[in-house]
Amino acid sequence: MNRIVIILFFIALTLNAQQKPVVVLELFTSQGCSSCPPADDALYRIKEKLDTKTVIPIAYHVDYWNYIGWKDPFSKKRFTDKQRYYGQKFRSNSIYTPQLVINGNEHLVGSNEVTIYKKVKRYLKETASNSIVLSDVKKEDKSVSFNYSIQGDIKDKYLEAILVINDRTTKVKRGENRNRTLYNSNIAVTEKVISLTDKNSGTLELAIPDLVIKEDTLRLVLIIKDENLSVQGGTQIEL
């Protein structure tokens, strides 16, 4: 294989990687919300049915339901703030659960499973602007470290690195779901955001929170978004 053929071969690989569609489903939910379990169940079924190489489901547990009597162990103010940023983008005066945001571009009630599948099918026909290659991923007792390399234009974009618990069962003792046993999946437990200026590769480390237990299976999710919160690319792996 001569040099020109080799160069063309790697250019083709790069283009194929950039054209791979990615659909990120961000569900804003809470164990204190009686309307949320059907949406949590829908997100689980989506993960089980669809290709996880192209469809990335994440459940962000918000903290504004905690005052009712049950403190969601997975809730974070950071995730509530993330939802509020989307509220500003969508020109909404209020936020709600269960809210599902698709690729940062539109939102709907997270339990509307039929519509979600239709929209995922449409987004899978679009191409991503960026692709991410992960390497040297290391999971230790208290942290996960990895190298990343991004293909495509990174101007005015940022990278979200998220650790996600595959699933967990919780016995809820108070609040709207009192005396229920809830099954949650795709649970975001920590997140780090970095701006992508002129550097398309680097090394990151995420601390594993104390709420992660030995039996949990973790996923590492990386998402690229632009300044308008729209998803431009993403990838995920099981740790």
Side-chain angles (χ1 to χ4, degrees):
M1 187 180 294
N2 62 41
R3 182 174 179 178
I4 294 177
V5 174
I6 292 174
I7 292 173
L8 291 175
F9 173 75
F10 280 105
I11 289 175
L13 284 179
T14 300
L15 290 174
N16 287 336
Q18 291 176 340
Q19 291 173 354
K20 181 180 178 181
V22 174
V23 183
V24 176
L25 304 175
E26 296 173 289
L27 176 67
F28 294 93
T29 183
S30 171
Q31 290 183 351
C33 160
S34 61
S35 301
C36 288
D40 297 322
D41 293 342
L43 199 67
Y44 168 77
R45 287 190 291 269
I46 289 169
K47 182 186 72 173
E48 293 299 300
K49 291 180 181 179
L50 300 181
D51 184 2
T52 55
K53 293 181 180 179
T54 53
V55 180
I56 301 175
I58 308 171
Y60 292 104
H61 288 235
V62 298
D63 68 349
Y64 50 83
W65 280 96
N66 291 351
Y67 76 95
I68 288 181
W70 177 254
K71 185 177 180 180
D72 187 330
F74 304 111
S75 65
K76 291 182 182 294
K77 180 181 181 299
R78 179 189 186 95
F79 300 154
T80 300
D81 291 340
K82 176 186 284 284
Q83 188 182 24
R84 292 191 190 281
Y85 295 146
Y86 276 128
Q88 294 172 9
K89 173 177 179 175
F90 299 136
R91 301 179 185 278
S92 174
N93 293 325
S94 61
I95 54 179
Y96 66 93
T97 55
Q99 180 187 37
L100 186 84
V101 178
I102 303 179
N103 270 16
N105 294 327
E106 57 181 311
H107 68 99
L108 69 158
V109 176
S111 55
N112 192 344
E113 199 165 347
V114 173
T115 302
I116 293 170
Y117 278 108
K118 289 180 180 178
K119 290 185 178 293
V120 167
K121 185 177 180 180
R122 175 170 63 83
Y123 275 99
L124 286 174
K125 295 178 182 179
E126 300 180 1
T127 58
S129 299
N130 299 97
S131 62
I132 308 170
V133 177
L134 285 170
S135 62
D136 199 24
V137 179
K138 296 178 181 178
K139 181 178 178 291
E140 308 289 348
D141 289 340
K142 295 294 184 180
S143 66
V144 174
S145 61
F146 56 91
N147 297 329
Y148 66 89
S149 178
I150 300 171
Q151 296 174 333
D153 182 18
I154 60 172
K155 183 180 179 182
D156 298 327
K157 297 177 184 178
Y158 61 94
L159 178 70
E160 294 181 345
I162 310 122
L163 284 183
V164 176
I165 296 177
N166 267 356
D167 54 68
R168 182 83 73 84
T169 300
T170 305
K171 292 182 179 179
V172 177
K173 299 177 181 179
R174 294 176 295 277
E176 288 194 357
N177 288 314
R178 62 186 175 277
N179 300 324
R180 295 184 63 180
T181 298
L182 299 183
Y183 178 82
N184 296 116
S185 65
N186 311 290
I187 309 162
V189 291
T190 192
E191 178 187 57
K192 182 177 286 188
V193 179
I194 62 168
S195 177
L196 298 173
T197 52
D198 56 351
K199 190 175 182 181
N200 63 355
S201 62
T203 300
L204 277 179
E205 181 175 280
L206 295 174
I208 298 176
D210 291 338
L211 62 84
V212 175
I213 60 178
K214 184 178 179 181
E215 293 76 16
D216 288 332
T217 299
L218 292 176
R219 282 186 288 129
L220 172 63
V221 177
L222 294 186
I223 302 170
I224 300 172
K225 294 180 180 178
D226 63 20
E227 291 184 322
N228 197 37
L229 309 182
S230 296
V231 171
Q232 302 299 312
T235 190
Q236 64 178 345
I237 62 168
E238 191 168 291
L239 300 173

